[in-house]
């Protein structure tokens, strides 16, 4: 029986409303990665990257999909770039920089003057020679990357832990005195005036003696016109060193000195909800401080973390999104399409799913269909199923999934809703729809299930 005119008009209205919803959810889907969500808040979201993992496809694809800033984890350090005096090697760091540039990611230069990963020839120099070696190192490395680096960690970890507020012992402090800090920043400004120049440290995340010492240095630099643009807060957290309650206040007091602040090496040991909440709080603190311009996690996957056994990152060893990922994305104002997998996902590996279709009820000119989606032998983070209808059948409504239509209007691609994309190995979910027969009683053809 043909549809009466009024019913047909009402049905058209339903279809229009459905396509409007599709368009809206498409807009929201733009912020379904860490980088895009952060960009929506005028921030970047980055990761420390190791050149020797770039050839691993799941590593590179996770990096490319989620992040819009990178920090070379070791490749720009003194031992990597000038292991022998005045012989510079940039191969591994260049690999990271060109990868990042190809994808329009910002690069943080890490790091020019640091007591660690310092070749022994540097520690052996007497003061005058050390000063010229330091300035030459800054000059050569910054020159090589001139125009390609948004910010440099000019000096890293110069202050002692504990209550002294003093500089730590290092060849630089011991032989050149506290003036090496100022000299390093002045030299750096002369080489690449467009790069932001930062001081970077750990255990400075809350208000304490060490962060007070850094604060005093920044204040002094600002008052005397010594060039400094930013302060990096590494933010390596675990139970012995938790996220401080005055984290945001500490970021804010530095910002109030007239520098940008960044979270530069974020990782938080733990798992599940506790870890997720900590990540969420860190992101919210940064967003609450106008001059907090971005966050970088210290690695992509727990597999390669410097604290691997503490599983401190957002992706598990199989590149599955952890609850910490979901919490971070949510705190950035983004919306996941698949959601986290509780830590056991395996989208880069053998993620798979199967589907089955049941026509659950029929009436004169319509029927309801139900599709059960079942994860294979590995957990999944998302799924996609295609159904092809015979015209003039139309779908009037859909639940527990998100639909997109091809240009013919007959092929419906359904993705998981925000809440039913994550399935444990072997677990099932379902979505359903109401179809209007419009005189054709056939059952839609069910395509294969694709898992992510
Ligand atoms: O220690 C965590 C970070 C603290 N702030 C400064 C960062 O630069 C530092 O990064 C870590 C890297 O994540 C590690 O990957 O710095 C370590 C060295 O201080 C890095 O570890 C070194 C190992 O000690 C070496 O044995 C190894 O050859 O990584 C090297 C390259 O894999």
């Amino acid at each position: 029986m043909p549809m009466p005119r009024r019913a047909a008009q009402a049905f058209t209205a339903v279809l229009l409303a459905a396509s409007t919803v599709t368009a809206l959810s498409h807009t929201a889907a733009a912020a379904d990665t860490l980088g895009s969500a952060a960009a929506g808040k005028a921030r970047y979201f980055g990761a420390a990257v190791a050149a020797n993992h770039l050839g691993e496809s799941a590593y590179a694809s996770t990096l490319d999909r989620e992040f819009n800033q990178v920090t070379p984890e070791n490749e720009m350090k003194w031992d990597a770039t000038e292991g022998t005096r005045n012989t510079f090697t940039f191969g591994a760091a260049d690999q990271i920089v060109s990868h990042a540039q190809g994808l329009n990611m910002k690069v943080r230069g890490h790091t020019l003057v640091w007591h660690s990963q310092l070749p022994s020839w540097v520690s052996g120099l007497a003061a005058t020679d050390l000063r010229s070696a330091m300035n030459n190192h800054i000059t050569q490395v910054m020159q090589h990357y001139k125009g390609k680096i948004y910010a440099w960690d000019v000096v890293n970890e110069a202050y002692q832990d504990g209550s002294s507020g003093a500089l730590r012992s290092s060849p630089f402090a011991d032989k050149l005195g506290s003036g090496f800090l100022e000299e390093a920043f002045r030299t750096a400004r002369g080489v690449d005036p467009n790069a932001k120049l930062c001081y970077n440290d750990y255990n400075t995340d809350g208000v304490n003696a060490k962060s007070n010492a850094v604060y005093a240095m920044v204040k002094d630099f600002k008052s005397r016109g010594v060039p400094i643009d930013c302060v990096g807060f590494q933010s390596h957290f675990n139970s012995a060193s938790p996220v401080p309650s005055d984290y945001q206040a500490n970021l804010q007091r530095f910002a109030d000195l007239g520098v940008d602040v960044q979270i530069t090496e974020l990782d938080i040991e733990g798992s599940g909800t506790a870890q997720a909440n900590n990540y969420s709080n860190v992101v919210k603190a940064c967003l609450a401080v106008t001059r907090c311009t971005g966050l970088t996690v210290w690695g992509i996957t727990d597999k390669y973390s410097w604290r691997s056994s503490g599983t401190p990152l957002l992706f598990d060893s199989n590149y599955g999104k952890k609850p910490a990922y979901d919490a971070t994305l949510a705190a950035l104002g983004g919306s996941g399409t698949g959601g986290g997998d509780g830590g056991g996902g395996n989208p880069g590996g053998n993620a798979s799913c199967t589907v089955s279709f049941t026509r659950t009820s029929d009436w004169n000119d319509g029927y309801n269909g139900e599709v059960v989606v079942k994860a294979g032998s590995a957990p999944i983070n998302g799924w996609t199923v295609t159904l092809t209808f015979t015209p003039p059948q139309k779908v009037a409504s859909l639940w527990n999934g998100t639909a997109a239509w091809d240009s013919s209007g007959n092929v419906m691609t359904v993705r998981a809703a925000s809440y039913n994309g994550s399935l444990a190995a072997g677990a099932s979910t379902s979505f359903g729809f109401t179809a209007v027969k419009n005189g054709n009683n056939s059952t839609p053809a069910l395509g294969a299930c694709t898992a992510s």
Side-chain angles (χ1 to χ4, degrees), residues 73-74 77 110 114 117 156-157 234 236 265 298 306:
E73 187 172 355
N74 288 296
K77 293 171 180 177
H110 176 79
W114 188 28
Q117 286 173 286
N156 195 43
E157 302 175 4
Q234 294 185 10
H236 294 292
E265 303 183 13
W298 204 242
W306 73 296

Side-chain angles (χ1 to χ4, degrees), residues 206-289:
V207 177
N208 56 38
K210 189 174 177 183
S211 67
N212 285 346
V214 177
Y215 182 86
M217 175 198 73
V218 175
K219 196 171 176 189
D220 171 54
F221 276 20
K222 280 289 178 187
S223 73
R224 293 190 296 111
V226 180
I228 185 164
D229 306 303
C230 32
V231 177
F233 297 84
Q234 294 185 10
S235 305
H236 294 292
F237 297 123
N238 55 26
S239 55
S241 177
V243 183
S245 56
D246 55 4
Y247 191 60
Q248 182 185 322
N250 189 50
L251 296 176
Q252 187 65 59
R253 73 169 175 151
F254 277 86
D256 291 344
L257 289 176
V259 288
D260 288 340
V261 296
Q262 290 106 16
I263 313 305
T264 52
E265 303 183 13
L266 179 62
D267 51 14
I268 309 176
E269 292 190 55
S271 62
T273 311
Q275 185 180 48
N277 288 341
N278 281 325
Y279 265 101
S280 175
N281 288 337
V282 167
V283 171
K284 286 176 185 163
C286 177
L287 294 181
V289 175

